[in-house]
Amino acid sequence: QAATLKEVEAACGDRIFVRMVNVAKENSLVGAYGVEMIPTLVFFDETGRERFRKVGPLPYPEIRDQLARMGVKALKEKQK
């Protein structure tokens, strides 16, 4: 999932911020966000409100589509 998230971040430029949390080292964040399984993807809007959560991996097109529903358009499309 990390490689996919890096691709999404590269495609969106400064329109998004991707944070990957090491659950073994950042227990306070794990508890604060109720993460029980990995991977857990949590999408927040610009105000910090949670807008979407998915437990389990998401492929690039689904992440891109979710971001688009939140008003974030990719700057460039992933190369096939």
Side-chain angles (χ1 to χ4, degrees):
Q1 191 68 72
T4 300
L5 292 173
K6 288 178 183 177
E7 287 182 62
V8 170
E9 187 175 34
C12 292
D14 63 357
R15 297 173 187 219
I16 66 168
F17 174 74
V18 174
R19 169 91 192 269
M20 289 179 257
V21 175
N22 181 331
V23 298
K25 294 182 179 180
E26 299 187 64
N27 292 338
S28 62
L29 287 174
V30 170
Y33 293 104
V35 174
E36 296 180 2
M37 297 182 71
I38 52 174
T40 296
L41 287 83
V42 183
F43 293 63
F44 299 93
D45 65 16
E46 61 277 352
T47 68
R49 188 181 84 175
E50 184 176 321
R51 297 281 307 270
F52 178 78
R53 177 181 290 251
K54 169 73 167 78
V55 176
L58 273 179
Y60 182 93
E62 289 183 38
I63 294 172
R64 180 201 58 219
D65 294 347
Q66 178 58 40
L67 289 170
R69 286 190 289 277
M70 294 172 62
V72 178
K73 302 283 188 215
L75 298 173
K76 58 185 177 180
E77 282 301 311
K78 177 182 173 183
Q79 297 298 314
K80 296 180 182 190

